């Protein structure tokens, strides 16, 4: 089609893509083109802004490697990952969901660890945490043999893959639920941390005068055949950034009860007060057990 004017280019592109045999590809791409074209018209996008955006996307790719995923970080920091998560869980967004965004730091092969075992794999600061999770179906029936992956950042503010001072797989572990659906582990109480700001996402946050912090949290991924894989986070109540999580990941249901203990008999001989305990629930909905593509290796 010979393009007559600004308006006809949209029709020409949609027409050119209309013969895609894959119906879903056609639906996705035509909506994408319609929205992108409408966006450019609404903001009257300038050529300089277009060049900046193309360079920004290129830099997102260049900042991505085996240990860091800037594309996921970008999607997280504009609320897109949480939107996709809420659209796909909790009855397609109709009800509160136990799911939360995966984030860029999940690794596939975290070490299998006995229930009650520690995921602290090298000296790591922070008060001891003893966590117990219970995995059930929506009616409260315990789910045995669910695999539960746990990962969190060190209280110095970095995941082990970002920090050469931490042992490989520090603060990561994989647990299997018992007959009561329980899993348990020892770690350190998580602290809030900034997302990486040395790439284009950091540039965007600074331009928007946004802080880069996530409130303190633990990540969980529960997997069991016959159930939808549950990806979630449990946040520390009272954290100063709960209301302003840079990646918009906090929902009411995900705020956990980390209890502080200052006295009494500690749960292990080497534990000094204060230590913390956490009990949490993971409710898995029936569905397809699928693992996400790991954002890093
Ligand atoms: C995380 O919690 O691991 C995370 C999520 C989104 C962006 C950066 C980090
Ligand atoms: Fe995290």
């Amino acid at each position: 089609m010979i393009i007559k004017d600004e308006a006809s280019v949209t029709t020409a592109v949609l027409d050119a893509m209309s013969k895609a045999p894959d119906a879903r590809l056609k639906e996705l791409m035509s909506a994408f083109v319609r929205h992108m074209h409408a966006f450019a018209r609404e903001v009257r996008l300038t050529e300089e802004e277009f060049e900046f955006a193309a360079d920004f996307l290129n830099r997102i790719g260049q900042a991505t490697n085996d240990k860091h995923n800037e594309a996921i970080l970008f999607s997280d920091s504009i609320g897109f990952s949480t939107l996709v998560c809420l659209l796909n869980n909790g009855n397609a967004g109709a009800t509160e969901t136990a799911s939360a965004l995966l984030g860029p730091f999940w690794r596939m092969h975290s070490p299998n660890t006995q229930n009650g075992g520690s995921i602290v794999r090298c000296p790591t600061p922070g008060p001891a945490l003893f966590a117990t999770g219970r995995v059930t179906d929506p009616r409260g029936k315990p789910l045995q043999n669910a695999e539960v992956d746990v990962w969190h950042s060190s209280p110095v503010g970095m995941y082990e893959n970002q920090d050469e001072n931490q042992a490989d797989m520090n603060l990561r572990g994989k647990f299997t639920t018992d007959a009561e659906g329980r899993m348990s582990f020892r770690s350190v109480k998580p602290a809030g941390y900034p997302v990486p700001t040395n790439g284009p996402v950091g540039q965007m946050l600074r331009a928007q005068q946004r802080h880069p912090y996530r409130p303190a949290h633990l990540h969980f991924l529960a997997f069991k055949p016959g159930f939808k894989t549950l990806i979630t986070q449990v946040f520390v109540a009272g954290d100063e950034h709960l209301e302003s999580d840079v990646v918009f990941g906090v929902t009411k249901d995900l705020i956990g009860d980390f209890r502080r203990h200052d006295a009494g008999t500690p749960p292990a001989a080497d534990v000094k007060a204060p230590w913390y305990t956490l009990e949490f629930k993971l409710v898995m909905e029936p569905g397809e057990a699928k693992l996400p593509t790991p954002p890093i290796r």
Side-chain angles (χ1 to χ4, degrees), residues 56-57 60 70-84 101 200-201 204-205 208 210 245-249:
F56 189 82
L57 281 183
I60 285 179
E70 188 81 1
I72 297 284
L73 183 60
F74 177 58
S75 155
D76 295 343
S77 59
I78 59 167
F80 199 72
S81 308
T82 290
L83 172 63
V84 173
L101 77 176
V201 170
M204 179 189 79
L205 295 177
Q208 296 169 340
R210 289 168 61 187
D245 180 5
V246 63
V247 299
F248 309 95

Side-chain angles (χ1 to χ4, degrees), residues 30-198:
S30 55
F32 183 71
V33 166
R34 278 189 279 106
H35 285 277
M36 283 296 282
H37 287 215
F39 160 75
R41 290 191 180 98
E42 180 184 323
V43 301
R44 303 303 304 178
L45 196 71
T46 67
E47 285 163 322
E48 289 75 19
E49 288 160 347
F50 171 69
E51 278 168 24
F52 180 91
D55 181 57
F56 189 82
L57 281 183
N58 287 336
R59 286 187 289 122
I60 285 179
Q62 286 152 3
T64 298
N65 54 47
D66 275 3
K67 294 187 163 212
H68 176 73
N69 194 318
E70 188 81 1
I72 297 284
L73 183 60
F74 177 58
S75 155
D76 295 343
S77 59
I78 59 167
F80 199 72
S81 308
T82 290
L83 172 63
V84 173
C85 172
L86 297 180
L87 285 171
N88 283 278
N89 293 283
N91 297 322
T95 59
E96 180 94 49
T97 172
S99 298
L101 77 176
L102 178 69
F105 294 122
W106 177 61
R107 287 177 70 186
M108 176 84 104
H109 300 292
S110 52
N112 286 313
T113 309
Q114 289 292 322
N115 275 319
S118 178
I119 58 171
V120 182
R121 304 184 192 280
C122 64
T124 307
L129 169 69
F130 296 86
T132 305
R134 197 149 170 270
V135 183
T136 71
D137 74 4
R139 292 182 168 167
K141 183 172 157 260
L143 296 179
Q144 187 176 11
N145 288 331
E147 285 185 355
V148 181
D149 244 12
V150 183
W151 69 104
H152 69 98
S153 77
S154 113
V156 301
M158 281 186 282
Y159 284 79
E160 51 77 35
N161 56 288
Q162 300 175 291
D163 181 3
E164 57 188 29
N165 295 318
Q166 290 182 57
D168 189 37
M169 295 291 181
N170 190 39
L171 309 183
R172 297 178 187 268
K174 186 180 288 183
F175 298 83
T176 304
T177 54
D178 65 15
E180 268 96 52
R182 286 213 161 73
M183 52 78 72
S184 58
F185 63 96
R186 175 175 173 175
S187 190
V188 291
K189 181 176 178 252
Y193 61 87
V195 300
T197 54
N198 52 354

